[in-house]
Amino acid sequence: MTSHRKERASGRPFAHRVARIGVFAAGVAGMATAVPAQAATGPAHAAVTSDHVFSHADRAHHTEARDSFTVRQFGSVNAVGVRNQANAVSAGCSVDDHCRSVALSFQIVTVAGERTHLNAVNLSDAANKECTGCQTLAGAYQFVVSTPAPFSLNSASRHRLDDIHRRLDALTRSSLPAAELRKRVDGLAAEVTAVLGDAVAHAPQQHAKPAVTLHRHLDGWPGH
């Protein structure tokens, strides 16, 4: 029996957070209520959102691949809780009759304010259950854009992100080995970071500087 399970938060801290961002109340990130993108302007408010991708492959369904690419623009907020999670499971297959399970989640969040309380959770978990020779990959990528003044992604930035989304769909459903797939997806994540960096370069400037922070967590079998 081969069994593998691992779940942990991203090890990369918010190294470039906007000044004075604090910690939001425990448990908020578990809520699944998203404030619409139209909230990018208007008075400050609290917001929570959760994005989760799950894939399961077994003898009846040898291949399952799912991905998510969401953009959450919250505008001016006093407090925000965001959660991004990817889970992939392969079960009951063998070397001669192997499974492939892929779950990838890209979550982009924009928040504005110099005193925003932020709780961000980013998790992935890949599990093989009696599945020798199976390919299982779970990847969670969370991009947090922090600006002191209200900011919205323009149409050019959204167009570039849409193109990355299409390529993520194609990669997720490809037959690339898990190790190569990880590299390609990391490349797309780098492109997202570049798009967001270009966008905030034109954001209104105040005492605190705009920042883009990536939380990345990958879990896979074979290899980690």
Side-chain angles (χ1 to χ4, degrees):
M1 173 178 177
T2 301
S3 180
H4 169 70
R5 179 167 292 278
K6 176 171 55 180
E7 181 170 296
R8 61 184 182 273
S10 171
R12 180 177 296 180
F14 267 17
H16 302 292
R17 267 188 213 165
V18 169
R20 289 173 289 184
I21 284 181
V23 178
F24 193 37
V28 166
M31 299 175 66
T33 302
V35 176
Q38 288 82 354
T41 60
H45 58 277
V48 293
T49 192
S50 179
D51 295 299
H52 182 204
V53 175
F54 175 75
S55 66
H56 184 278
D58 54 30
R59 290 172 181 166
H61 303 282
H62 286 74
T63 301
E64 183 163 34
R66 298 182 181 277
D67 65 79
S68 174
F69 192 106
T70 56
V71 180
R72 312 290 190 186
Q73 300 193 76
F74 293 118
S76 297
V77 285
N78 295 319
V80 59
V82 292
R83 182 184 183 93
N84 185 45
Q85 187 167 348
N87 295 89
V89 176
S90 294
C93 299
S94 66
V95 174
D96 297 324
D97 188 27
H98 60 82
C99 293
R100 178 182 176 85
S101 181
V102 177
L104 299 169
S105 183
F106 277 42
Q107 181 191 63
I108 299 169
V109 176
T110 70
V111 297
E114 296 189 14
R115 299 177 181 274
T116 301
H117 296 278
L118 174 65
N119 182 25
V121 177
N122 189 61
L123 302 169
S124 70
D125 179 46
N128 272 19
K129 299 179 178 179
E130 299 181 357
C131 205
T132 304
C134 294
Q135 296 279 318
T136 312
L137 178 66
Y141 295 78
Q142 185 181 61
F143 308 82
V144 179
V145 180
S146 302
T147 57
F151 162 80
S152 293
L153 295 168
N154 61 27
S155 59
S157 296
R158 293 302 298 262
H159 179 75
R160 293 171 66 187
L161 292 175
D162 287 344
D163 176 64
I164 296 171
H165 185 187
R166 286 191 292 271
R167 286 184 283 142
L168 176 65
D169 286 341
L171 271 179
T172 302
R173 288 154 182 78
S174 72
S175 58
L176 288 171
E180 180 63 22
L181 181 59
R182 289 160 60 107
K183 294 179 183 178
R184 300 283 187 91
V185 176
D186 276 346
L188 292 184
E191 289 189 44
V192 171
T193 300
V195 170
L196 299 176
D198 290 344
V200 299
H202 303 288
Q205 302 292 318
Q206 294 188 6
H207 297 295
K209 294 182 179 180
V212 179
T213 303
L214 167 62
H215 286 175
R216 168 189 176 275
H217 192 264
L218 277 168
D219 195 19
W221 190 278
H224 305 298

